[in-house]
Amino acid sequence: MSESIKGPRGVRDILPDESWKWAYVLGRAAETAGRFNYSEVRLPIFEHTELFSRGVGDTTDIVEKEMYTFTDKGDRSITLRPEMTAGMMRSYVEHSLGVPGGNPAKLWGAGPMFRYERPQKGRYRQFWQLDYEEIGSESPLVDAEVIMTAIELFRTLGMRNLEVVINSVGCPKCRPVYREKLIGYLQGRCDELCDTCKSRLQRNPLRVLDCKEDREIVAGAPDIFDSLCDECAEHFNTVTAALTRLGVKYTLDKTLVRGLDYYTKTAFEVKSGDLGAQSAVCGGGRYDNLAEAIGGPHVPGVGFAAGLDRVILVMGEQGCSFGAQPALDAYVVCPDDSARLNAVELLYALRRAGLKADMDYAGRGMKGQMKTAVASGAKAACILGGDEIARGVVAVRDLSAAAQEEVPLADVPVRVASLAGKR
Ligand code: HAM
């Protein structure tokens, strides 16, 4: 016999003992979005490859090495989305989602992303993002609002010990000046750079700042804040002033450049010490030139994406609550074969009344069924045999109190609901 097929490397099955936690976090993500007045957009999972090569940037790791790209049967180059920002901007432009009067369109979405990365704890080839974007405003207060959305989302989930790291990566006016200064400095120390950074030196020198290996060289690099134009410096000051006013503790990290090319001005991440090497639970920033890069008009934007897999990992390590795992309200127990159709009827009456209910389909005896009822965590066992049918009642046992009473058949849903604390 051939070996049974396993899932591909780097992808995970989110099994029942975990999936309810995902539903909880997704619910909180939607609730946070609602409070901040974001509306949901459900984007397609695949897009034209060009959207990412032009939007995220040709020289990024994502586009160079990590995309799942294929040619479809119509001979088009298609890519499974590695992120959502480019798609969100495409959708904004394609459907004219702009808000009259100059306020940003606030859009959010969630779903799986795909990157061909080396799998490790907190890093997968299919992973979920919670993505929040504010498109159409230059205001630095919108940058602050985006950062506050992330902080509020994590606060709502009970996450602790997070570090907010922020930087400015300048704009097309001032970044080229910095880029030249940086190249000049790095060329002087080229021999000492790691191989990856040697190749980054001309193509994408700012990424060298992010290198984990060349820390000592990066420490001596020119300071980006000495090159920022007045507009970028003022923008940054307003963002940080707003954060300070809102009581947010942040760290300025001038080496934070992020792995996507569309960023201008603000770049930020929120990090957790509970994740090991993949410490970022979210990352984001401003992207004022993305719309033009993908062939649209000039539309500024700012946003972030949180990694749902990582959020759940951190919450697990920190013992955060995921709400209660939904347990059964009732387990229908049927000791007599002849009563099975009546038991089925009762089961559906309970479900129609909005209760979570199940029953035995394996033909087990009374004892076995009661064992299953207890193991399932059900609040009540509803026992219905020939004797009960003859008298038009059901024996309802409160499984937490081990107390039993006879309830008229028609009243069982109401009785179970009250035992389950649902009425
Ligand atoms: P990113 O930093 O590439 O940014 O990803 C955002 C978050 O997604 C990361 O902080 C991390 O939590 C999670 N993540 C990334 N890759 C993986 C992976 N392989 N496995 C598990 N989790 C991962 C973006 O994608 C930008 N689109 C964010 C953004 C939105 N910027 C502006 N708006």
Side-chain angles (χ1 to χ4, degrees):
M1 248 194 357
S2 62
E3 220 180 288
S4 69
I5 298 172
K6 307 265 191 330
R9 186 166 141 78
V11 305
R12 304 189 296 155
D13 299 316
I14 308 301
L15 299 173
D17 62 343
E18 279 277 301
S19 57
W20 65 279
K21 299 179 184 170
W22 283 58
Y24 172 79
V25 176
L26 279 164
R28 305 309 291 176
E31 180 274 327
T32 305
R35 258 190 299 140
F36 279 71
N37 198 26
Y38 292 82
S39 304
E40 188 179 7
V41 178
R42 299 198 172 191
L43 291 172
I45 281 176
F46 60 83
E47 299 268 5
H48 291 295
T49 301
E50 225 190 330
L51 178 72
F52 304 115
S53 55
R54 286 167 55 177
V56 174
D58 271 334
T59 58
T60 58
D61 284 353
I62 292 178
V63 172
E64 277 189 341
K65 305 188 249 187
E66 296 170 1
M67 295 205 302
Y68 282 87
T69 298
F70 60 96
T71 306
D72 75 4
K73 294 198 193 312
D75 220 23
R76 300 171 198 92
S77 180
I78 296 292
T79 292
L80 300 186
R81 62 182 181 194
E83 61 107 49
M84 266 170 105
T85 312
M88 209 60 111
M89 185 58 99
R90 177 204 46 73
S91 181
Y92 174 96
V93 172
E94 191 171 333
H95 304 291
S96 308
L97 298 180
V99 175
N103 262 342
K106 298 178 165 190
L107 309 171
W108 85 284
M113 311 293 142
F114 305 86
R115 296 184 193 176
Y116 192 78
E117 292 193 89
R118 199 167 46 76
Q120 62 179 81
K121 181 182 173 190
R123 189 164 72 191
Y124 313 102
R125 291 183 174 168
Q126 173 174 327
F127 59 96
W128 273 58
Q129 281 187 348
L130 309 168
D131 185 78
Y132 299 77
E133 312 287 356
E134 299 210 27
I135 304 183
S137 171
E138 314 257 5
S139 168
L141 292 183
V142 175
D143 304 44
E145 183 170 68
V146 158
I147 297 171
M148 288 311 292
T149 309
I151 292 171
E152 186 57 22
L153 170 66
F154 299 143
R155 189 194 65 79
T156 307
L157 293 169
M159 293 164 71
R160 301 178 303 277
N161 308 329
L162 300 175
E163 188 189 11
V164 180
V165 184
I166 179 165
N167 191 22
S168 175
V169 295
C171 69
K173 263 190 284 167
C174 57
R175 192 164 38 209
V177 179
Y178 179 66
R179 195 174 183 275
E180 285 316 307
K181 274 196 210 167
L182 184 63
I183 292 178
Y185 166 78
L186 293 174
Q187 264 166 347
R189 303 196 59 176
C190 186
D191 291 347
E192 301 162 67
L193 288 173
C194 72
D195 288 344
T196 319
C197 287
K198 277 192 186 113
S199 77
R200 278 177 177 157
L201 187 55
Q202 290 300 333
R203 287 181 305 120
N204 202 342
L206 264 75
R207 289 287 288 155
V208 175
L209 297 178
D210 226 13
C211 179
K212 304 273 178 297
E213 284 178 42
D214 297 326
R215 277 274 157 254
E216 189 261 317
I217 303 176
V218 169
D223 185 334
I224 193 162
F225 277 71
D226 294 338
S227 302
L228 289 185
C229 63
D230 289 348
E231 190 189 321
C232 284
E234 204 185 309
H235 189 97
F236 185 79
N237 289 340
T238 311
V239 176
T240 49
L243 294 179
T244 304
R245 180 66 75 89
L246 292 165
V248 174
K249 287 200 187 72
Y250 60 85
T251 312
L252 170 60
D253 180 353
K254 294 174 182 173
T255 67
L256 178 75
V257 289
R258 313 260 307 121
L260 304 95
D261 274 358
Y262 48 59
Y263 291 114
T264 49
K265 297 180 176 161
T266 313
F268 76 98
E269 280 183 357
V270 178
K271 296 184 179 189
S272 165
D274 289 312
L275 269 175
Q278 304 305 315
S279 61
V281 279
C282 86
R286 178 164 279 282
Y287 44 88
D288 290 347
N289 301 309
L290 170 60
E292 282 156 291
I294 60 171
H298 177 77
V299 185
V302 53
F304 78 95
L308 179 52
D309 306 69
R310 291 188 193 175
V311 165
I312 288 171
L313 262 174
V314 171
M315 287 177 69
E317 306 233 335
Q318 296 188 346
C320 300
S321 164
F322 292 96
Q325 184 168 14
L328 277 181
D329 297 315
Y331 196 85
V332 176
V333 172
C334 176
D336 306 324
D337 252 2
S338 60
R340 280 175 74 78
L341 283 181
N342 297 68
V344 167
E345 244 181 329
L346 172 61
L347 173 67
Y348 282 86
L350 289 162
R351 288 176 176 168
R352 279 190 213 109
L355 297 163
K356 190 173 161 78
D358 217 336
M359 69 177 278
D360 170 79
Y361 290 112
R364 305 182 73 190
M366 170 78 175
K367 233 173 144 189
Q369 290 185 46
M370 283 306 295
K371 253 191 177 164
T372 315
V374 171
S376 74
K379 307 283 186 310
C382 298
I383 306 155
L384 182 61
D387 179 40
E388 283 81 13
I389 291 170
R391 288 184 293 118
V393 297
V394 173
V396 176
R397 185 177 299 185
D398 178 344
L399 290 173
S400 51
Q404 189 165 314
E405 59 182 327
E406 284 195 341
V407 177
L409 186 59
D411 299 343
V412 174
V414 172
R415 184 70 197 113
V416 170
S418 101
L419 282 178
K422 290 194 171 171
R423 291 277 190 290

